Structure formats: structure tokens, C-alpha cells
Amino acid sequence: MAIYQESGRVQRRPWEVQFTAEPRVVARVRRAMRLHLSLWRLSDLEDVALICVSELVANVINHVGPGTPVTLAVSTDGPHLRIELSDPDTRAMPTLLAPTSGAESGRGLMILDAVADRWGVISRADSKVVWCELATGLEAHIEHPRNPRVAQAEMSIVRHGAARDSETEVVTPLSAAAAEKAAIDLIADVLHWLRAQGCDPDETLDRAQTRFEAQLEMTRHGTVQA
């Protein structure tokens, strides 16, 4: 995952997560999706995107089997949000039932077909990918280089925020205030860890502040230190 702002413009980079397709994992995956959509300023797509993710995972659970290793990949080109779920079973190909069918099998794809703007299946030699796209209403954008430290910090904040709320599926979208709180919680946890390792948290904070200010100064002069 990645997001940053340049001259007030939000930039978004693809992210992915690997997990096993099990009912108990779906809530955590939905939380991660919420957090990323909020950071990407795409919270208006949250309801539909969560339905898509849930149905894609449920399809693997029902037709490939619980415990199947899968990879969820999310990206956007601006106009569309793309959600992909890949699994290693190349035999169980998704099939969309006719609307009049009374069979329970395939209902998930009917829901996906109803809520997504478009969807499809990519067959590979050792896996398959079921994907769908949702219209964002945004224009296409061009990605630009970014500070890798910012990307690492954002990923840590998202992961930390999801872990903090792991006991409930209800998550408030990660607003600027919520992101700040998650960052503070993360810093506090790091300070606890440093103290447990016998380090001086105050000294570490001072050194971090000094390095941060030095990096800002370098950025102002057109150089960024990795």
C-alpha cells in the first residue's frame, strides 16, 4: 500500500496481502481494506469494495476449500479501483449462474456481477485470479517517486491500526485524526520496546528528531536520503 500527497494531490500505489481463506480471517481482511480505502480517500467505495472482497474470499472457501492460500491485490489507475484474489487451484473455475437458477452454488459471483462495474477470471499455469473493478469517478493519474521512509511509515500505521481493532469488525474510516492516533500508538509501542531492550526512549526520540529535521533540510535542497 502507498499513498502520499504532492501539491494537494493524493497518489496511490498497489498493495497486496497473503492469507489463508478461512471464515475467521475475512473480518481482518475487510478491516485492512477499509483502512487502505480511507487513506486513499476512496471511502465512498467502502461498502461495495467490502462486498466484493467478502464474496471473492467466500468463493474460494466454498469451491476450493478452507485454508487455501490466497493473495489479495488492490490497485487503482485513477478511474477504477481493481481488486484481485488469486489462488493455486486452476481446476475450480468460477461460473456465473443464470438469474433463474435455484442452485446455491455461484451465488457469490451473481452478487459480484451485480455490484462491480466489471469482473473476470485470469487463468495461469499454476493459479487463477478472479478480479473486479469499481468506478472511482476520478481521473487517471501518473505516479511519481516518493520517499521510501514515508511508505514504510504508512504501512506500519495501517497494520498497527488494524491490529489495535482486531477484536471487532466495526472500524471507523481512518481519518487524519485516526491516522495520527494510530501513529502515536505505534510510536508509544516502539518506545516501550526500546525500554524493554534497555535503551533510553528519550535519547532515541532526540536522535530521531535530529535525523528527521536533517532529512527535511536535505529534501528542501533537492536531495532525499533513503
Side-chain angles (χ1 to χ4, degrees):
M1 186 286 298
I3 175 176
Y4 70 106
Q5 291 184 322
E6 181 177 16
S7 301
R9 187 179 187 180
V10 177
Q11 302 290 329
R12 308 167 182 88
R13 292 187 184 278
W15 64 275
E16 67 177 40
V17 59
Q18 297 178 341
F19 58 97
T20 55
E22 299 177 7
R24 62 183 180 83
V25 180
V26 175
R28 294 201 297 270
V29 176
R30 286 165 58 91
R31 280 194 290 273
M33 190 71 179
R34 281 194 186 98
L35 292 171
H36 281 85
L37 290 179
S38 180
L39 285 174
W40 281 5
R41 306 298 189 264
L42 294 175
S43 293
D44 57 322
L45 296 178
E46 177 183 308
D47 291 342
V48 177
L50 294 183
I51 291 174
C52 293
V53 169
S54 297
E55 294 303 331
L56 288 173
V57 177
N59 187 68
V60 173
I61 294 174
N62 294 333
H63 300 289
V64 182
T68 300
V70 297
T71 299
L72 174 68
V74 183
S75 61
T76 177
D77 59 359
H80 294 92
L81 176 74
R82 185 179 177 93
I83 303 171
E84 300 180 351
L85 190 72
S86 61
D87 70 76
D89 193 326
T90 59
R91 297 168 299 172
M93 299 302 291
T95 302
L96 180 64
L97 297 179
T100 56
S101 174
E104 291 298 323
S105 176
R107 292 292 182 182
L109 290 183
M110 292 178 63
I111 295 175
L112 189 69
D113 185 66
V115 300
D117 290 274
R118 53 195 180 194
W119 70 278
V121 182
I122 301 173
S123 180
R124 296 172 177 166
D126 58 351
S127 65
K128 69 174 179 294
V129 178
V130 183
W131 61 269
C132 65
E133 291 186 343
L134 307 175
T136 66
L138 303 176
E139 297 180 356
H141 62 262
I142 301 175
E143 300 290 2
H144 299 281
R146 63 180 306 223
N147 189 330
R149 292 184 178 276
V150 176
Q152 183 176 359
E154 286 168 354
M155 180 61 75
S156 298
I157 290 171
V158 168
R159 288 174 176 170
H160 194 76
R164 282 280 183 174
D165 204 23
S166 61
E167 296 182 358
T168 175
E169 186 179 351
V170 179
V171 178
T172 302
L174 196 63
S175 61
E180 181 181 16
K181 180 182 181 300
I184 292 173
D185 288 341
L186 176 59
I187 293 171
D189 286 350
V190 171
L191 294 179
H192 280 295
W193 181 86
L194 287 168
R195 183 176 181 181
Q197 301 301 313
C199 302
D200 185 345
D202 290 333
E203 181 181 348
T204 301
L205 279 176
D206 289 341
R207 291 169 60 188
Q209 181 69 24
T210 299
R211 179 175 296 183
F212 170 69
E213 292 174 352
Q215 290 169 348
L216 283 182
E217 188 65 25
M218 294 179 67
T219 301
R220 293 191 188 100
H221 288 83
T223 58
V224 178
Q225 183 178 23

